[in-house]
Each structure stands twice: as C-alpha cells, then as structure tokens.
Amino acid sequence: MPAYRRFRDQRRIGPVQVGTYYDGRGRDKHTAACTAPGCGFSADYSDRAAAELAANTHRCKA
C-alpha cells in the first residue's frame, strides 16, 4: 500500500519538485521528485537543504 503524504511548502527547481511532509512519527521529512516524463527520480531526506541540493544537481536522463 503506498504512503499517503500531504505535502506543504512546495517549491519547484527546474523539473524537480521539493515538498515537505510529516512522516508517521510526526517528524518533518522532505522529498525531491522529478516531474519529467519517464525520469522516475525521487528521494526522501531529513533535511530541506539536502532535498534542494539534490534538486539543483539532478540531471534528467529522460
């Protein structure tokens, strides 16, 4: 079953979207996900700066 995440504080950096959500234990988590068709890149981070760095350095192969 996929996790249901309610994102807040969303920001788009190129084709990558960065969003913040609460995990099941109430902690802040941050996700960077590429929205380009066929790319499939996404990663979860505990730090917002790390998620934004991943978004800035991501290069699509699609």
Side-chain angles (χ1 to χ4, degrees):
M1 182 171 149
Y4 174 74
R5 295 181 179 139
R6 175 180 252 164
F7 291 99
R8 58 186 167 79
D9 192 21
Q10 295 179 12
R11 182 174 176 207
R12 187 174 197 92
I13 301 172
V16 180
Q17 194 162 4
V18 177
T20 303
Y21 67 95
Y22 292 116
D23 69 352
R25 297 177 184 234
R27 297 175 293 203
D28 276 347
K29 294 289 183 173
H30 310 278
T31 297
C34 186
T35 58
C39 180
F41 166 78
S42 69
D44 291 334
Y45 299 94
S46 59
D47 190 60
R48 177 75 182 204
E52 290 186 4
L53 178 65
N56 282 324
T57 59
H58 173 68
R59 299 291 173 246
C60 271
K61 294 183 176 146

